[in-house]
Amino acid sequence: MANNFEEEIKKLVSDITEVPPEKLKPDADFFKDLGVDSLKAIEIVAAFEKKYRVIIPEKDIPNIRSIRQIIEYTKNLK
Amino acid sequence: MSKKRIVITGIGVVAPNGIGKEQFWLSLKEGRSGIKPISRFDTSEFKCKLGGEIKDFKPTYFLGYKGLKGLDRSTRLLCSAAKLAIEDAKLSINYNNTDDTGVCTGTTLSSLWNFAEFDKELIRDGPLFTDVSLFPGIVINAASSQVSIRFNIQGFNTTVSTGYSSSIDALKYAIDFIRLGRIKAVLVGAVESLSLVNFAGFYHLGFFAGIRGEELSCPFDKRRNGIILSEGAAVIVIEDEIYAEKRKANIYTEVKGIGSFFDAYKTGKYHPEAYGLKESMKKAIYSSELKITDIDYISASANSVPQQDRLETKVIKDVFGKFAYNIPMSSIKSMIGEPYSAGGLLQIVASVGSIVNGFIPPTINYKIRDNDCDLDYVVNKARIARINNVLINNYGPGGSNASVVIAKYQ
């Protein structure tokens, strides 16, 4: 993982949600705060998996609802 | 089915030689071509370099920034044309009338780009790492659906995909829906966009001008040797006349008659007698309740393919007999190229301009006469004329044929 991992994740989420990176708070809930629908949520997961070449198990997906949770989850993957 | 009168009350067009109806009509009147060197993708490995490309298209101007990222070029073109048409028709779509309004789009290859990109990543990066955001766009009804989503149109949404004749077939479907009393107004759309995939496909089929001979769109001219592929989108608002009058809409023209016919022959080949086109024309004229002598102008499907232009000329003589020589005709494909499924609706929009503004657009690039093509072609310069009734043809190899008669509203 790159050093600027958090920034990379922000950009990835920003590209999909169309919310500027500076407005993306680490704890903002994708569904409640950013207007992400189920399709966009799948896009976020798929883009993450593609970028870092990992597979997130189906059961974990509903628990990842913010940028901070993506980062925390990734720590466990290492 | 009741014979409700069907009127055209709104027009949106995004064409290689003009965006918006006024620009498009002006370009046609001035004989201005939209065919130019392609810049959207690299053509260095092809013999052919030209296309009817829309270069100055800025989707944000029509659609804003939000939600644009996930839309491919075809969808952007169609949604922009839809916005222009809705505004032109002064159609206010709201909670009360959304169920009375529908969308019907003719397109065949518009989702090909998404398909190819999705597939490319699947092969390059492996099946687990392809871009899922491309997937919703690979269905053929994606562009049409986005029109409904964006403008909240809930009556019905259909995509008609019959190759060349798709957009006139879409119009026919929409008219039937109105006449059945199931809907009051329909946004009839058509779209195709240029991409490396469809360009390479038509190129390898050997359809392009420039593979053998000059790279030029010159319908009816002896030098013609194939199509120049193009892109474009058009949307017209059609309504039941009573509904249009009730909401005090501006009526451009009436759709008098329409006909289609599938003359299945051989894949990618023309029926040697253009039987289907002949039947489509007869059906369109018969259903319009006009006489053949009432037709003031024929907007030809001629796309600069040797066989197509000759066959169209022949069947016009079969249907109109000696009157064929008295009816001016022209092909706007000399200026916009061959936009495949979108061709019919772009011809309809052009013909509305002919009726409203009193001119016949020219077939440009005409120089050398072909004895097989000997009708009254309006060549190189527009002709000023009073036009009441136009017959529009659309067909290509493969079997699908469609014709429509539009008329001055009176």
Side-chain angles (χ1 to χ4, degrees):
Chain A
M1 305 280 169
N3 290 335
N4 56 349
F5 179 63
E6 190 172 334
E7 288 309 307
E8 279 182 1
I9 293 293
K10 244 186 200 180
K11 175 151 188 346
L12 186 145
V13 174
S14 162
D15 283 348
I16 294 168
T17 57
E18 297 184 68
V19 176
E22 60 275 12
K23 288 192 179 166
L24 278 176
K25 297 202 175 81
D27 290 315
D29 186 285
F30 292 154
F31 297 94
K32 284 186 195 151
D33 303 323
L34 301 178
V36 167
D37 58 20
S38 56
L39 181 63
K40 283 213 183 323
I42 293 168
E43 277 185 46
I44 293 171
V45 172
F48 179 84
E49 288 181 327
K50 186 180 166 80
K51 190 169 175 65
Y52 299 107
R53 285 288 192 267
V54 292
I55 300 294
I56 300 177
E58 200 87 354
K59 66 176 174 49
D60 293 346
I61 293 172
N63 302 326
I64 306 170
R65 298 172 65 108
S66 69
I67 288 175
R68 194 182 302 283
Q69 282 171 344
I70 294 182
I71 293 162
E72 289 301 316
Y73 185 83
T74 315
K75 278 180 191 163
N76 298 330
L77 285 178
K78 283 180 187 171
Chain B
M1 208 186 297
S2 73
K3 182 82 180 175
K4 286 177 180 159
R5 289 178 78 180
I6 307 293
V7 293
I8 298 175
T9 56
I11 291 170
V13 57
V14 185
N17 64 346
I19 295 175
K21 65 176 196 285
E22 300 297 346
Q23 278 304 314
F24 182 55
W25 288 341
L26 187 65
S27 288
L28 294 174
K29 195 171 181 183
E30 292 179 349
R32 218 179 306 141
S33 174
I35 293 168
K36 47 189 104 63
I38 288 173
S39 63
R40 287 187 51 71
F41 48 85
D42 181 14
T43 56
S44 59
E45 293 191 45
F46 300 102
K47 274 187 192 172
C48 307
K49 315 285 179 198
L50 302 180
E53 182 177 317
I54 304 162
K55 287 217 164 150
D56 43 3
F57 173 57
K58 292 190 177 58
T60 49
Y61 178 78
F62 301 100
L63 306 170
Y65 287 92
K66 188 79 182 160
L68 210 58
K69 189 186 75 69
L71 307 184
D72 68 334
R73 185 168 173 87
S74 296
T75 307
R76 292 172 177 198
L77 288 168
L78 186 68
C79 286
S80 301
K83 176 132 198 298
L84 287 171
I86 290 168
E87 283 172 0
D88 192 40
K90 297 188 175 60
L91 202 58
S92 162
I93 300 157
N94 52 45
Y95 175 78
N96 294 319
N97 67 7
T98 180
D99 291 353
D100 295 329
T101 315
V103 179
C104 190
T105 304
T107 190
T108 306
L109 296 171
S110 63
S111 59
L112 199 57
W113 181 86
N114 280 60
F115 217 123
E117 287 299 305
F118 187 78
D119 225 17
K120 198 162 75 187
E121 290 196 5
L122 196 115
I123 294 162
R124 192 183 56 204
D125 300 335
L128 294 177
F129 299 113
T130 193
D131 182 356
V132 68
S133 71
L134 291 165
F135 192 70
I138 74 167
V139 291
I140 204 151
N141 60 322
S144 194
S145 299
Q146 284 296 335
V147 172
S148 285
I149 291 167
R150 245 168 207 272
F151 304 106
N152 188 30
I153 301 169
Q154 296 180 356
F156 76 95
N157 190 302
T158 301
T159 294
V160 175
S161 184
T162 49
Y164 284 91
S165 66
S166 300
S167 53
I168 296 181
D169 290 338
L171 174 62
K172 186 169 186 304
Y173 185 92
I175 289 173
D176 288 348
F177 236 69
I178 293 176
R179 290 203 169 134
L180 283 165
R182 293 172 67 178
I183 209 87
K184 288 173 180 160
V186 184
L187 268 72
V188 180
V191 66
E192 293 292 354
S193 63
L194 274 175
S195 72
L196 180 58
V197 205
N198 58 13
F199 190 86
F202 280 109
Y203 180 86
H204 289 296
L205 284 173
F207 281 13
F208 283 178
I211 295 176
R212 291 168 293 273
E214 200 176 349
E215 197 176 0
L216 187 69
S217 180
C218 53
F220 306 118
D221 186 296
K222 204 172 175 58
R223 298 166 299 160
R224 67 193 188 275
N225 58 30
I227 61 167
I228 290 182
L229 197 66
S230 66
E231 61 183 357
V235 173
I236 58 171
V237 177
I238 64 162
E239 301 178 53
D240 171 357
E241 181 201 26
I242 297 164
Y243 186 65
E245 278 180 348
K246 205 181 279 177
R247 66 176 199 90
K248 297 186 174 60
N250 168 45
I251 295 174
Y252 284 106
T253 52
E254 179 179 1
V255 184
K256 283 288 249 189
I258 193 158
S260 60
F261 198 96
F262 196 82
D263 57 359
Y265 177 63
K266 285 181 184 168
T267 308
K269 302 278 183 209
Y270 294 92
H271 188 286
E273 298 295 318
Y275 178 71
L277 180 63
K278 196 193 297 181
E279 289 304 308
S280 307
M281 283 164 59
K282 279 160 62 176
K283 279 186 187 182
I285 297 167
Y286 178 77
S287 60
S288 72
E289 295 172 354
L290 294 169
K291 299 191 289 290
I292 52 171
T293 48
D294 293 329
I295 302 295
D296 304 307
Y297 162 51
I298 298 172
S299 173
S301 181
N303 60 5
S304 206
V305 168
Q307 206 181 357
Q308 171 144 342
D309 303 6
R310 179 177 59 74
L311 284 170
E312 190 169 6
T313 300
K314 180 192 170 302
V315 292
I316 285 170
K317 288 191 244 179
D318 290 347
V319 172
F320 287 87
K322 62 179 182 185
F323 296 111
Y325 293 88
N326 302 334
I327 306 168
M329 66 188 279
S330 66
S331 170
I332 63 165
K333 290 179 186 171
S334 58
M335 291 176 272
I336 64 165
E338 174 56 85
Y340 196 42
S341 290
L345 205 57
L346 286 162
Q347 284 174 250
I348 290 173
V349 171
S351 300
V352 171
S354 290
I355 292 171
V356 171
N357 296 324
F359 74 98
I360 295 172
T363 303
I364 65 164
N365 299 324
Y366 187 89
K367 210 151 79 179
I368 302 173
R369 181 186 156 92
D370 177 353
N371 287 335
D372 285 337
C373 300
D374 59 349
L375 294 175
D376 177 15
Y377 310 118
V378 176
V379 295
N380 300 328
K381 232 180 127 198
R383 188 183 294 176
I384 303 303
R386 195 173 295 158
I387 310 286
N388 287 321
N389 304 302
V390 183
L391 171 71
I392 296 151
N393 285 336
N394 205 271
Y395 87 117
S400 65
N401 305 272
S403 298
V404 56
V405 174
I406 62 165
K408 191 172 193 165
Y409 181 68
Q410 42 205 2

